[in-house]
């Protein structure tokens, strides 16, 4: 067991960035959006406050998160689902966190608001943002790519529906 725990501790961290949780302190329990970042300890299979990166500046759900080989994390779109202030402006924003920094920084705004998109870090350091939904609930076929230096978004050929 000790060997297995040691080997698991060498793997990259699994982190949950923002999202929703059930607030059981109220009756009836309700879903609330969070800005927290939690890390899964693979040796114990327990979640805890990450400590590896700061919380998001605002609660955000229905967003995408991707991490690159260099440790950079990119968050795109989403909103404060169910909050008193839905913070709809978040749907058009993107943030990044770089290892060694203590805060998230803004990236260029998305060309169109979206939530529920998928994102992936490409081997060359760019971030690809795929599909999702507009704030009106329409499925988006657009595919965007963020330059490796974070300077701006470019269009790629759209998804075929």
């Amino acid at each position: 067991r000790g060997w297995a725990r040691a080997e698991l501790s060498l793997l990259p961290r699994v982190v949950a960035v923002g999202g929703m949780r059930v607030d059981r302190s109220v009756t009836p329990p309700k879903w609330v959006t969070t800005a927290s970042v939690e890390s899964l300890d693979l040796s114990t299979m327990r979640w805890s406050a990450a400590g590896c990166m700061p919380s998001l500046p605002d609660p955000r759900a229905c967003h995408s998160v991707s991490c690159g080989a260099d440790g950079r994390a990119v968050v795109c779109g989403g909103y404060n689902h169910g909050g008193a202030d839905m913070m709809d402006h978040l749907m058009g924003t993107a943030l990044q966190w770089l290892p060694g920094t203590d805060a998230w920084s803004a990236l260029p705004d998305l060309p169109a608001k979206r939530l529920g998109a998928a994102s992936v870090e490409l081997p060359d350091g760019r971030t690809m943002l795929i599909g999702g939904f507009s704030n009106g609930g329409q499925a988006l076929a657009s595919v965007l790519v963020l330059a490796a230096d974070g300077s701006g978004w470019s269009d790629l050929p759209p998804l075929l529906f």
Side-chain angles (χ1 to χ4, degrees):
R1 285 188 186 161
W3 174 85
R5 277 194 300 274
E7 290 301 307
L8 287 172
S9 70
L10 298 176
L11 294 173
R13 290 187 187 188
V14 175
V15 294
V17 179
M20 297 182 72
R21 65 175 179 78
V22 177
D23 181 356
R24 297 188 194 294
S25 69
V26 296
T27 304
K30 69 175 191 170
W31 286 97
V32 295
T33 304
T34 181
S36 68
V37 175
E38 295 183 5
S39 178
L40 176 63
D41 181 336
L42 294 172
S43 65
T44 63
M45 297 307 288
R46 294 191 190 277
W47 291 94
S48 62
C52 61
M53 68 176 65
S55 294
L56 292 168
D58 298 297
R60 197 180 286 236
C62 304
H63 57 288
S64 70
V65 181
S66 55
C67 296
D70 62 356
R72 174 177 80 154
V74 174
V75 170
C76 299
Y79 68 119
N80 185 16
H81 180 76
D85 176 359
M86 299 286 276
M87 298 184 206
D88 286 346
H89 70 280
L90 296 176
M91 287 188 260
T93 64
L95 303 169
Q96 75 174 349
W97 175 79
L98 300 171
T101 62
D102 59 0
W104 292 84
S105 58
L107 288 167
D109 284 347
L110 302 172
K113 292 181 175 184
R114 68 181 64 213
L115 44 94
S119 63
V120 62
E121 294 295 314
L122 301 174
D124 63 5
R126 296 179 300 157
T127 302
M128 184 184 298
L129 185 62
I130 307 157
F133 296 90
S134 70
N135 59 345
Q138 289 288 338
L140 300 172
S142 60
V143 178
L144 304 171
V145 66
L146 176 67
D149 65 0
S151 60
W153 295 95
S154 301
D155 290 316
L156 291 177
L159 299 170
L160 301 174
F161 285 138

